[in-house]
Amino acid sequence: MNKKECFIGSISNYKGGTGKTITAVNLSAGLAIQKKKVLIIDIDPQSDTTRALMQDPMKINNCIYQLLDPGEKQPIDLKDCIYSTIHENLDILPNITETSGLEIPLAINFPESNWNLRNKIYDYVKDKYDYALIDCPPTLSIFVSNALYASDFVMIPVDAGSGNSLEGVKGVLELMQSVRDNGNPNLRFIKILINKIDRRKSAHKANIQEAQNRFGEENIFETTIPTSSVFETIETMRKTSVFSYSPTSKGAQGFRTFTKEFLSFFEPERSGE
Ligand SMILES: Nc1ncnc2c1ncn2[C@@H]1O[C@H](COP(=O)(O)OP(=O)(O)O)[C@@H](O)[C@H]1O
Ligand SMILES: [Mg+2]
């Protein structure tokens, strides 16, 4: 095989606000800066990733909606749903809020509809990209199961300040087991990412300790992402990644280190470069 293996991964946690979207956007951008060909897939109808990476959402003709819509008469070509971003090497398969209305039509074809995303993207993505990251909604929905059936791995961001976000980890691990049992047996759990950390706060230390006790230290990335106002600033100012907005910020440094750790996990042969 000439091309290196491509890995497709979901970024998931049933709790909202844990950092799924900032991880998807900034890890994707970090990988693209490392010259990896990356596709970010926004399967969350809230479309936060799409708003972050597409400066003009009016340009979206086709997206996840048309790909997953069981009522779509003409099969849509995946290529027509993928857009470039301001980051070289980073493309996006965007979403729109109307996709939330597909839950009921997709439920009619359950459980076959669990496979819709995988059937539409898998071969093309494996051929064209090095990594694909799927930003999941914070719900137990058909969209999350579509993401997990299409994935090789799952990583889970948790909010260091919220004990509840550890409960969301449990939910994802349970769904992963069901997805493995029902036809995607190689789905791997790739670690928890601790986000929004402030080491001065004792509650944060206690939550990290709890995460280590419950899920094992080996299942938690060494890199943690600090609490940093840069993430809110880029959201408010409609900027894309921390790298394009403020490459020297604490947030950018966090994601730069995390991108390296992530790459050394998937490509151990390049460690030490
Ligand atoms: N490390 C961080 N420091 C400061 N704010 C953060 C951090 N991570 C996320 N946020 C903010 O928290 C909110 C939720 O983050 P987001 O990535 O959208 O979570 P999710 O996708 O899991 O719902 C956003 O407003 C984001 O800007
Ligand atoms: Mg999100």
Side-chain angles (χ1 to χ4, degrees):
M1 197 172 72
N2 289 330
K3 189 186 166 300
K4 283 190 83 160
E5 195 176 355
C6 160
F7 297 100
I8 303 178
S10 287
I11 301 178
S12 185
N13 187 324
Y14 285 172
K15 299 289 173 187
T18 65
K20 290 177 286 299
T21 298
I22 67 141
T23 303
V25 168
N26 294 293
L27 174 60
S28 298
L31 291 169
I33 290 166
Q34 293 296 318
K35 309 253 183 305
K36 302 295 169 189
K37 223 33 215 119
V38 186
L39 178 67
I40 188 164
I41 300 174
D42 188 3
I43 202 154
D44 183 354
Q46 289 180 48
S47 312
D48 293 340
T49 285
T50 301
R51 268 192 302 279
L53 288 170
M54 290 192 74
Q55 295 294 301
D56 185 4
M58 298 303 283
K59 287 210 176 112
I60 301 173
N61 296 316
N62 296 312
C63 66
I64 284 280
Y65 185 98
Q66 286 77 12
L67 269 192
L68 297 187
D69 182 7
E72 188 75 36
K73 306 263 175 324
Q74 290 279 331
I76 298 287
D77 197 340
L78 175 63
K79 284 203 268 322
D80 296 331
C81 303
I82 291 178
Y83 301 79
S84 50
T85 69
I86 63 155
H87 287 281
E88 199 180 341
N89 300 323
L90 176 58
D91 293 341
I92 182 167
L93 170 49
N95 210 341
I96 51 175
T97 50
E98 287 78 357
T99 300
S100 60
L102 292 180
E103 276 215 62
I104 292 168
L106 285 168
I108 294 166
N109 286 331
F110 187 85
E112 286 74 25
S113 52
N114 277 327
W115 295 92
N116 281 16
L117 183 70
R118 186 185 181 102
N119 293 341
K120 297 281 169 76
I121 67 157
Y122 200 80
D123 293 342
Y124 182 84
V125 168
K126 289 271 168 177
D127 184 45
K128 292 277 185 280
Y129 293 93
D130 299 316
Y131 292 92
L133 297 177
I134 311 176
D135 184 20
C136 291
T139 48
L140 239 178
S141 64
I142 185 88
F143 302 118
V144 179
S145 48
N146 260 262
L148 266 53
Y149 277 91
S151 288
D152 305 309
F153 73 89
V154 177
M155 55 173 283
I156 308 181
V158 300
D159 175 347
S162 152
N164 286 340
S165 73
L166 295 182
E167 290 304 312
V169 175
K170 208 166 121 237
V172 176
L173 294 177
E174 283 164 8
L175 178 63
M176 285 181 70
Q177 194 50 49
S178 144
V179 170
R180 282 193 205 102
D181 294 343
N182 287 290
N184 186 12
N186 297 325
L187 182 66
R188 286 201 292 170
F189 165 54
I190 306 290
K191 304 196 188 195
I192 289 168
L193 173 64
I194 295 183
N195 180 32
K196 293 194 194 175
I197 194 166
D198 182 343
R199 291 191 184 274
R200 291 164 305 181
K201 293 196 174 149
S202 55
H204 287 207
K205 283 192 203 139
N207 281 331
I208 292 169
Q209 188 63 52
E210 173 73 12
Q212 288 171 344
N213 294 345
R214 274 165 77 168
F215 305 109
E217 220 171 314
E218 69 286 0
N219 287 320
I220 300 176
F221 284 110
E222 263 176 51
T223 312
T224 53
I225 306 297
T227 299
S228 165
S229 57
V230 73
F231 296 110
E232 281 148 39
T233 311
I234 57 177
E235 238 171 58
T236 317
M237 295 178 64
R238 304 281 328 275
K239 300 289 178 188
T240 59
S241 73
V242 279
F243 301 112
S244 61
Y245 175 66
S246 179
T248 56
S249 61
K250 264 198 323 180
Q253 280 160 18
F255 271 104
R256 199 171 289 116
T257 310
F258 177 55
T259 302
K260 285 200 187 119
E261 186 181 354
F262 180 91
L263 277 174
S264 68
F265 185 90
F266 284 98
E267 303 177 29
E269 71 281 7
R270 78 188 280 289
S271 299
E273 262 175 34

